[in-house]
Amino acid sequence: MGNGLFEETVRAGAVRRIVALLPSAWTLTDERGTSIAHGLDGAITLHGPRGTRAHFSVEVKRAGAMPVRRLVQTLREAQDRADQPVLFLSDYVGPSLRAALDAEGLSYADTTGWVRVVRDKPLIVLRAEGADRSPRARASSISRFDGLAANRVIRALSETKLPVGVRELAANATVAPGSVSKMLATLTAEGVVDRDDDGRVSFVRRRSLIHRWVRDYSFIASNKGVMFFLAPRGIERALASVNTSGPVTITGSAAARRLLPPGTTPVVPLRLLTLYAPDPSLLQRSAGLLPVDRSSANVIAVAPQDREVLPPYGGDVASLAPTALVLADLLTTPGRSDAEAEQLMDALATHDPLWRE
């Protein structure tokens, strides 16, 4: 589909979403070409009772066609030139872009149903929610991030120095470049990463990256051999035993505590110990745990989706899971602790601006 036809299809679809929200006494006219002098794609006018009118200049772009920060700046400058509000239309406006547009007071609508059209004079407030991910499922993109490649690429994106090209990122993640390209196509379309003119990743919204991952990833569902245990002498005693129980990796709440700056008080008490082990049943015996049902457990052990997160065989000290994986596990374990994840991300943001929203 050519860019012109694509933009017309997007424009028509997004406009339909706006029209569906209008009160019965209101109508909309789509005036193509009106704002071309200002470098925009036309204008839209909302018509209300007693001659009320609200004009918007229109800009239409494919999701991910421009980095979020540059797009917001472009829309802001276009609004100043046109001297009237700008309405951004796209096939998908992802969470990061929505947040940025909201912060600037800019209106938008996409073909999946996300709508925010606001004005002070006359007073207009139209809002609706759409899809939770980009609708563009193509051979050149990946829509679900619950596999091994996604696990490795997201961990690498949370740590790798930027800018980084596809091949370098693939090498860092030990994943095929083709898989990286497909993931980046989706993450770019959803506004999680920005890419420069050479295709390199130039910016990563790392909080958004983790939240995008956990739409598909789950500590229990994405890993294997899950077992639920009771530590009869308490979690702290169990943690001491685990430290010398062979190739075990600590994740979740216990790992988050070790990743927080010294002297930081965790926001909640340690209630659940989550672990990776090559064979959770062997861990049970070595750490003195009792098998129980899920509702009674204070320890959960799984065999990891990616065995690279385990310490080398023969090691007698437990390791910590990678930070991105700790956060994803915090957000997806039973009785999950979003507050603990946010506390850790706030701590990371104090020295790494990519963790700030």
Side-chain angles (χ1 to χ4, degrees), residues 249-270:
T249 295
I250 301 167
T251 187
S253 295
R257 281 160 166 71
R258 300 187 184 188
L259 293 169
L260 289 171
T264 303
T265 301
V267 290
V268 297
L270 179 59

Side-chain angles (χ1 to χ4, degrees), residues 89-114:
L89 304 179
S90 182
D91 53 327
Y92 185 65
V93 181
S96 299
L97 180 53
R98 292 198 301 271
L101 295 173
D102 288 348
E104 292 291 330
L106 294 165
S107 295
Y108 55 83
D110 72 19
T111 59
T112 78
W114 286 105

Side-chain angles (χ1 to χ4, degrees), residues 330-351:
L330 278 171
L331 291 168
T332 60
T333 48
R336 66 190 192 186
S337 178
D338 295 15
E340 287 181 281
E342 293 300 327
Q343 182 185 32
L344 179 53
M345 287 189 281
D346 286 344
L348 294 169
T350 61
H351 57 82

Side-chain angles (χ1 to χ4, degrees), residues 49 61 64 95 102 127 131 174 209 215 230 245 253 264 269 274-275 289 303 351:
K61 286 195 181 298
D102 288 348
R127 290 181 180 272
T174 62
L209 178 69
R215 291 187 214 162
L230 176 67
S245 295
S253 295
T264 303
T274 47
L275 307 168
L289 305 174
H351 57 82

